Amino acid sequence: MPVTVLFAAKSERWKEYEHPLRTALAEAGVDAELVTRAAPETVDYIVYSPNSGIEDFRPFTRLKAVLNLWAGVEDVVGNPTLNVPLARMVDDEGLTQGMVEWVTGHVLRHHLGMDAHILGQDGLWRAGAPPLASDRRVTILGLGALGAACGKALAGLGFPVTGWSRSEKRIEGIDCLSGPQGVNSALARADILVLLLPLTAQTENLIDAARLARLPEGAVLINPGRGALIDDAALIAALDAGHLAHATLDVFREEPLPPDHPFWPHPKVTVTPHIASETRAPSAARVIADNIRRAEAGEPMRHLVDRERGY
Ligand code: NAP
């Protein structure tokens, strides 16, 4: 008997995902009926985006797992009506590759001082070559699927990379720190700081005035993680005081960022509209199909969220 897979995301996403998901499920050997509507009690798996409108999972009495289309799960992880395994999106070929490219691009922008030439074509011959990557220390908070990949790419370019995570790690090319003590050392060596932490009760407002003060003078902050990792007012104060040189922000407490938000006109802030990396249907469909195949075969599913930890 086929399993029923409900695709629950914004309706415009169906066009993008239908073919890749059907193909990937067939290639994985999963006998599935892929639908966008179904009586809840007939659904085995939900391919889920938190903005799909489904908030009460109780009517899905046969549900075996929820497969999140996004890496971040803060909008669903605490849902008390969800009592089945929740997988988040980890997709090396698509989501991770996109993040590596975005982070590398923005690190290089600041490292090379590209703005001086791109924005300053005013007849002045500005001599002086930028330093080498080996002279610019990068710290990445969060060494998960995305942080570790970005760290390895930056280390490969020659940047001395420090990373910080909850648990201890060993990753080639990255000086790995962990725990509450590790964060202060990691910040102290962050000429460029990249935030790739999930939003949890422990990480919310982690980058407050005290932690910003630990950054070296003239540091740059790049945040493709989540907006609420940062105390916005403290960030603006640190930029205004000249302690921080620039902040490139992709994610915000409120999205879209309201037109009157002080980040928009701030000369030391670059706003990008939550585009650092998105889930790419063809490769993400293969990740989802493989996870459903695993569940049906009684094998452990991959990328399961720890509901206690919150990510
Ligand atoms: P992940 O694999 O779950 O990695 C999370 C990392 O953060 C892990 O290294 C984890 O430590 C660390 N961490 C979590 N809580 C911590 C704490 N309290 N103290 C220290 N370290 C902590 O997540 P991911 O796939 O890399 O994604 C990271 C985040 O990126 C997502 O949650 C999402 O918010 C964001 N994101 C943004 C975009 C965008 O377009 N802007 C796209 C995708 C994802 P352990 O390794 O010890 O568990």
Side-chain angles (χ1 to χ4, degrees), residues 88 143-146 164-167 169 198 224-226 250 277 311:
R88 61 197 194 80
L143 286 176
L146 302 178
W164 180 67
S165 55
R166 204 177 48 86
S167 58
K169 287 192 192 307
R226 281 293 181 260
D250 184 57
S277 187
Y311 68 96

Side-chain angles (χ1 to χ4, degrees), residues 258-276:
D260 59 351
H261 195 286
F263 283 153
W264 281 115
H266 200 289
K268 293 181 179 174
V269 174
T270 299
V271 170
T272 63
H274 201 147
I275 45 77

Side-chain angles (χ1 to χ4, degrees), residues 58-304:
R58 283 171 302 183
F60 295 89
T61 48
R62 203 167 93 182
L63 195 60
K64 297 177 186 168
V66 170
L67 300 109
N68 206 48
L69 279 169
W70 303 352
V73 292
E74 68 275 11
D75 293 332
V76 59
V77 69
N79 188 322
T81 69
L82 181 60
N83 296 311
V84 295
L86 169 67
R88 61 197 194 80
M89 179 50 64
V90 176
D91 171 23
D92 297 344
E93 284 177 66
L95 189 65
T96 304
Q97 177 62 22
M99 187 60 82
V100 167
E101 293 179 15
W102 188 90
V103 166
T104 305
H106 285 275
V107 165
L108 286 175
R109 168 195 173 195
H110 294 296
H111 166 62
L112 297 174
M114 287 178 174
D115 289 11
H117 305 288
I118 294 170
L119 306 173
Q121 196 147 309
D122 51 8
L124 274 184
W125 188 259
R126 291 181 173 82
L132 288 174
S134 53
D135 297 320
R136 185 92 61 190
R137 300 162 302 171
V138 178
T139 289
I140 303 182
L141 301 190
L143 286 176
L146 302 178
C150 291
K152 285 187 218 164
L154 293 169
L157 287 173
F159 291 99
V161 177
T162 300
W164 180 67
S165 55
R166 204 177 48 86
S167 58
E168 277 183 34
K169 287 192 192 307
R170 270 167 188 251
I171 302 172
E172 203 183 327
I174 303 178
D175 191 358
C176 297
L177 304 176
S178 62
Q181 287 78 35
V183 71
N184 291 340
S185 317
L187 291 172
R189 37 176 119 151
D191 297 326
I192 299 180
L193 177 67
V194 180
L195 304 183
L196 274 167
L197 291 162
L199 180 60
T200 67
Q202 284 72 42
T203 63
E204 186 166 4
N205 284 321
L206 182 83
I207 304 303
D208 59 7
R211 294 211 173 83
L212 287 167
R214 291 189 179 273
L215 292 169
E217 200 70 24
V220 165
L221 185 153
I222 299 177
N223 185 18
R226 281 293 181 260
L229 298 173
I230 301 176
D231 175 338
D232 289 356
L235 173 60
I236 289 175
L239 289 163
D240 289 344
H243 180 58
L244 251 67
H246 200 92
T248 293
L249 309 173
D250 184 57
V251 283
F252 306 92
R253 286 169 186 273
E254 189 182 344
E255 294 182 7
L257 185 66
D260 59 351
H261 195 286
F263 283 153
W264 281 115
H266 200 289
K268 293 181 179 174
V269 174
T270 299
V271 170
T272 63
H274 201 147
I275 45 77
S277 187
E278 68 170 12
T279 307
R280 316 287 158 143
S283 47
R286 288 193 288 274
V287 172
I288 289 165
D290 179 58
N291 240 353
I292 295 178
R293 180 200 64 73
R294 284 167 172 269
E296 287 300 300
E299 294 173 22
M301 291 180 72
R302 301 181 71 204
H303 318 308
L304 290 183

